[in-house]
Structure formats: C-alpha cells, structure tokens
Amino acid sequence: MREKEIDKLKDYKYGFTTDIENIKSPKGLSENTIKFISKAKNEPEWMLKWRLSAFERLQKIQEPNWQKPKYPKINYQDLYYYSAPKTTQSKVKNLSDLDPKILDTYKKLGIPLDEQKKLNGIAVDAVFDSVSVATTFKDTLSKVGVIFCSISEAIQKHPELVKKYLGSVIPISDHFFATLNSAVFTDGSFVYIPEGVKCPMELSTYFRINASQTGQFERTLIIADKNSYVSYLEGCTAPMRDENQLHAANVELVALEGAEIKYSTVQNWYPGDENGKGGIYNFVTKRGLCKGDNSKISWTQVETGSSITWKYPSCILKGDNSVGEFYSIAITNNHQKADTGTKMIHIGKNTKSKIISKGISAGKADNTYRGLVDIFPNAKNSQNYTQCDSLLMGNRCGAHTIPYIKNRNSDSNIAHEATTSKISEDQLFYCQQRGLNSEEAVSLIVNGFCKEVLQQLPMEFAVEAQKLVGISLEGSVG
Amino acid sequence: MQNLKNIKIEDVSYLGNLTNEEKTFRKKNLSDFQTHGFPSKKNEEWRFIDLNSLLLKNSSKLELISKNLVNDKIIDNILRTFPIDLSDKNYILSVDGFIKKIEIKHEEKNCYKIERSVDINKLSSKDPLECLNNALNTDYIKLIINENYSFNKPLVILNYSNELMNSVSLNQKFDISINKNSKLSLINFYNYKSKKSFYNFHQYYFLHEGSILKNYSIDLSDNSNLNYIKTNIDLSKNSISENFIITQGSEYSKNEISCNLIEPYSSAFVNGIINLNNQKKHEIRSKINHIAPNTKSYQLIKCILSENSKAVYQGKIFVDKEAQKTDGYQLSKAILLNQNTEFNAKPELEIYADDVKCSHGSSSGSLDDNKIFYLMTRGLNKNQSKKLLIDGFILDVLDKITDISVKKIVKNILGIN
C-alpha cells in the first residue's frame, strides 16, 4: 500500500476494501432491476408486486429538499442496486462455507461472528453490501421461539408475518427514500419475538458497504409480540472511496401489548476525508409503532460517521400508556453534516416520551437537531420532555436546533429545553493541569457531555462508543 | 380575492396622481404579488396557520377601500371614546388606513421631523405580502427623531377602522428613525370596528448609536378582522429595542418581528402575551439576527388559551460566525384551559459561532390541579383560583415592561392590579 493510503487508514480504520467477486444487478433503476433483485432472491410473486407498486409510486414523487445539508443531485440511474458476494449465491449452512475473505473482513471490523465470541452472548446478522451473509446463534434463539434471520429468508419461511407487518409502519407511499427502499431493498434483518419471551441475548446486525458505486438499501423489521422484550444493536462501516455512496435503509419496529424494544445504533460509515470528499449519504427511515397498550420503544443512536446523516428515528405512541424514548449523540467533524432528531407522535392516552439529544460540531461541520412532538387531541395526560444540547468547537462550524412542538390536548404537558455552548477554557485548563493532553481532555469533557446517552447503550457498545467519541474529534482542538 | 388578483394600479382610486417612477414601482410589486398570491401552508413560515384558507373562509372577496367615510365629527368621537387617556400623550390617528391627525404637542418642534412620501428606492422585497403593501399602501409616515432628544411622553399610533368597512384589504407603512442617543416610547394601538377585513401593516425602525426604542403593540377589543403586522428593527451600536406584544382581539393575527443586531453591544427584547378565546388564531414569529459580537437578546412569550383557540410561536435566534459573545435567550409557555385549544411552537436556534450562550425553552400544559386545590382550601372558589393563577402566570411578562406609564395602562386593561 502506498504511504498516503496508509496515512489515510490511520484516520478511519475501517477504510479498507475487500477484494471479492461480486454479482451485481444491471446498473440503474428500472422495472428490470427490481425484477432482477426479486428473482435473485427467489422471491414469491406477492413480494415482487409489492416492490413494483412502490416503484410505480416512486415515479410520481419528488426527492425532498427541505433539509439543512444540501447535496449534489444523486443520479439514480448510475447506481448498482444489488451487489452480492459470489459465494453466497449457494446457500451458506455453516460459517466455514463463507468466503474466507469476508470472514477476514469481519474479523478486522471486530465483529463477533466466530464462536470465540460466544462469551459475549450476542447473536449477529452480518450484511455485506446488499445481502445478509451470516447469522449466528440461530439454534439458541430458536429454542425459545425467537426468529432472527435475514429478511429474504423470512419472506420465504415466514411469509404470513412479513405480509402482515412489512410496510405497516413505513408504508410504501411514505416519502421518496422510504419508497425507493421499498422498491429495491436487498436484504436486512428480521426479528420476531413470540408472546411472553424475553430474548435471552442481545441481537446485533453489522452492515458493511464494500463494492463501489453501489447503494445499500436494507430493510429491518422487528416485531415484539405481547409482553416480550428485545434489545437490538446495529453497527455500520464502509471502505474509503472518493465517491459519495447512498445508504437508504428502512427500519420498522412493531411493539404489541406490553412489549418492549430497545434499538441501539452505532453508526460509523466512512465520513469522507478532511476536505469533504467522499463519504456515505446516510438517509435512513426508522420508525417504531407502539401498537399495543403499555408498550415501549427506545431508540439510542451514536452517529459519528457518514458525510451526511439525515434521519429521524420516530415513535408512534398509539397504544394507551405507551412510552417512547430517544437518546442521541451526533458528532460531526471536518465537512460532515447531520440533520437528525426524532418524532414523537402521541395518539394514545397517558403516553410518555423523552428525548435527549446531544450534538457536537467541530471543524467545518454542521449539526442540526430537528424534532417533532405532536400530542393528538385524544392523547389525554400525555407527557413529553425534550432536552437538546449542542456543543461547538471552533467558529467555522454550526449547531442548529429546530424543534416543532404541537400540543392539542389541554391535559398534556410538554417541556422543551435547549442550550448551546462551547468547551470552556477553564475546563480544558483543569484537565490539562492534571496531566491530560488537550485531545484527551476534549475526549473526557465530551464524554461527560454525552454521558446521559452513553449510559443507555448496552455494555459492549458503550465502551466502543466512548472510544469512538474521542476518535471522531481528534484534531479538532489546538 | 378575485379583485386583488385582477386589479390594476390605474383602478385604485385612492392613489390619486402618481409620478411615473412610483407608478412603475407599484405596478411591479403588484404583479409580483399577483404571481405569488397569498402565502400558502407550503411556505415554512406559514405552516401552522393557513392564511389562504382563512381568507377564503372569512371573506370570499377582498375589496379595496373606495371612498372616505370619515369626517371631523367621527374623528372627535373616536378620540373621545378611546380606551386610553390621550391627554398626556402624543398621538397619530389612522382611520381606515389613512392618517387623519398628527398631534405631537408634548415635544419640541425642531427635535423631530415628519416625512410623508415613501423613498421607493429603499424598498424591494420578495415577500408577497410586502409586495402587496408596496403596491397598494394607502398612507405612509416617517418620523425622524433628532440626535440627543428623548420624547417626553409616549407616542401612540391609533389604528382605527370604521364599522362600515367589510372585507376590505388595507395596507399601511410606518417608518421611524431614531438618531444618536435619542429615545422614544411607542404604543401601537389597534382598535378595529370593521368586519372581516385584512390588514397588512409594515413597520420599519432604525436605531442609531445609543438610542432606545420601547415599542408596545396592543390588540385588545374583539373583532372579526385578520391582522398581519410585520416589524423590522435595525440596531446600531449600544442601542436597545424593547418590544412588547399583547394580542387578543382580532380573529386572526400574526406579528412578525425581526431584530437585526448589526453593531456590537446592541440588545433586543421581545416579550408578549397571547390571550385567546373563541376560534381565534394568533401567531408571533420572531427572528433575532445576531450579526455583530457582544449582542444580547431576550424573549419571553406567554399564552393563555381557552375555548377553541390556537396560538403559535415561532422564534428563531440566528448567530452569525462573527457574532462571538452572543447572549441569546428565549422562553415560551402556554396554558391550555380547554380540550379544544392548541399550542404550537417552533423555537429555533441557528448558530455559527462557538463562544456564545444560547438557550431556549418551551412548555405547555394545563393549570396545575394541585395549585387550584390549594387555593380552594384557602377559601377561593374555582374561578377565582384559576384567575389568580393565570394573573400570576402573566405577571412576570408584564414586569418586563420598563415604561411605568405603559405598564399601568396594560395592567388596567387586563384587570390586574
């Protein structure tokens, strides 16, 4: 490797590419591409119809343009919509059947695919480019009745569940990127927790974009049946490339009566270099539906990567007494841009929601919190608490807060607070006096600033996230 | 609105003889307005309350004022029955969009100047409502206060409209420039008797170094009109602008206020009370632009909503990358007294400088039952307890009024002692 490239890798350690043979769909977005994807995945007729109706809808709608970070127009005809490692074409029964190069890649990424990670007790579904390549711990999970597999497998094996819930939270007519995903989604995870089951381990998916000129469109569907519980983790990386790659995923969560879903994301897609070249466009639609009474959905996200992050993990609190939570850290450095936040839609009675958002902006980055709290006229005794804090480092970056607050019920209470500040000289001085260098000091202070959110992450992720927070801000001070 | 869409400048009787230059200017603005029409809900600034549908619902057709209905007798009557005592105040009386009387008797004659013709070179806009105003404004007044002069008494601008006016579109402009180290207390009083009319007011203020403007806007008595007021304030070094808005009378009202802190050490205050009943829909939208370093802004808005009313507060604090050491604060609170009321808020921060202190808060909810219970155990009945709590709720906004005579007037009008 040339020296320059090695230098680059120091900044983003997941920036390597893996040289494996890929099978790609024809370039461009057309009915044929969709038919190709559907055929490649051996999908039933109804699935293809569903995709095509989304595609039909897509022709009629426009890309939204109200967001803060602007980006050059994406040429949708210049993308590959399906890219699969060649070896997965034939069924993988065992980890050893996988292309060793893929396993190697995951090893570099530190993903607990192999057995030694059994100790961690995390079941993993790994998605490489467009297809799910390996799912671990299937047996342990199936003993308690938990279904954890790729969505393509679920379409084959559990069509009744997929038919019932796919598109029930994010309908195909939703918005441009969600509709695009519905038309061309390639793979993703599917989780079903049966009634009364507390999932015995954390479930986890790892996403990786490898091939160039590809978009990744995965679809995740999690259904928690009555009185069940699941905690789900998601991690993402991509190689360093000069081009901007599109990642438009849809994540749907359904919590039935008394169920609880905890969804955590550590997003570390390639952010582009320090001049803003390359990087992932992370335009993701995540939405959870608290369908039954007493249900709960909690989103936790640590967003450090991507050149543009544009997503609003939302909760629709339909069941009475349901609870929605959103904890977020968004760190932007160099030329990164983030426009993220949440929507809490209170429909049921006695619904509660809590939003804690921490935005950190350094370099020439722009960080926006945009959120909606909407209390419907019948949502009696509902409550919302929102806190969004921003931290600015340097005077070339921006931090913005755009909350929309709608209260249509007189018995409900909404409280919203937001502050913007910088790391004070005093704090830095104090830490440096105690022997920390300036970067360690910043990392410590920022970690303290984010503590409320980091605490919400599962153990394994919390440690990684803390390190990530420090790394993302390297070179932003001094 | 058919007429406004098809009207030609030549047809507007009240404009009289225009110079060619002015005619072209008005024509251009009118055609700009006619291409865009009234702002729709798609426009981010108008997303909460749709002006278009309100106008359609309220009056199928807006007309322009055709003849002058006012004589001296009516003017005397208006002044006599005015809700506040005018004997110790300066005032400008505007009836149906025309300025009928200017009475500045408490001040020295050579310390202020009044101009009546618009400098059209300074006006240009893309905002359709401003275009409409530029094209069709009935009357214009500019007040210039000389250096080092403080107005002894407050200046009241009385905006009155006749009960015979129905579904009329009225456009008016005010312009006030306060020179170095001068001071003015201003009360914009809206007292409408007309029906279902649309008022489009545009006010421009320029504050030179060290000057102070206290600007109070009061819309109290019930009326079925739609009232849109756009205020733009430019602040120079060390100047202060204090703005206070009480809005409760009109069927629909939107106060749009921009404060541009263009030089260091200037400060802007925007406080307000929205007190609504019936079907009323009121909105305050503020935009504070911190352009220079060491500037300060403070905003406090309180809403009391009953019956089927709806209030909206959109407040934005913008901090330019040059505006280090900015201190910006914003708080909005609402009490919803009835099941059918609605409060929407969009408190926004847009910050590009790092050494700043900016925060906002917003809360909404019902009156606390525990507090009502406490007061009732002390012998008050339910209504008294509620009134006491509401009075307490708005009292701290009223305390932000620094002009004591105005504070007294406002408290009297609201029945708070």
Side-chain angles (χ1 to χ4, degrees), chain A residues 61 306 364:
Chain A
I61 51 177
S306 297
K364 290 178 183 163

Side-chain angles (χ1 to χ4, degrees), chain A residues 68 366 377 380 388 392-422, chain B residues 44 47-48 321 324 336-366:
Chain A
K68 180 100 186 146
D366 239 344
K380 275 188 180 170
C388 32
L392 284 150
M393 295 165 137
N395 62 351
R396 287 173 304 168
C397 53
H400 321 298
T401 317
I402 312 172
Y404 294 81
I405 305 163
K406 288 184 163 187
N407 193 348
R408 293 186 266 172
N409 183 287
S410 62
D411 297 326
S412 301
N413 285 307
I414 299 181
H416 174 100
E417 274 178 65
T419 59
T420 304
S421 52
K422 69 165 195 168
Chain B
E44 179 68 23
R47 61 176 292 147
F48 293 104
K321 66 176 192 299
Q324 296 290 4
L336 284 71
L337 294 170
N338 190 292
Q339 203 64 46
N340 300 321
T341 52
E342 182 174 343
F343 176 66
N344 296 336
K346 188 187 166 201
E348 202 178 329
L349 297 174
E350 188 173 351
I351 296 166
Y352 294 97
D354 63 337
D355 191 6
V356 298
K357 213 169 79 186
C358 281
S359 57
H360 68 208
S362 172
S363 68
S364 60
S366 52

Side-chain angles (χ1 to χ4, degrees), chain A residues 370-390:
Chain A
R370 192 190 299 271
L372 168 71
V373 176
D374 193 348
I375 298 193
F376 277 49
N378 291 328
K380 275 188 180 170
N381 291 318
S382 294
Q383 275 179 28
N384 162 267
Y385 173 72
T386 307
Q387 187 191 334
C388 32
D389 298 329
S390 308

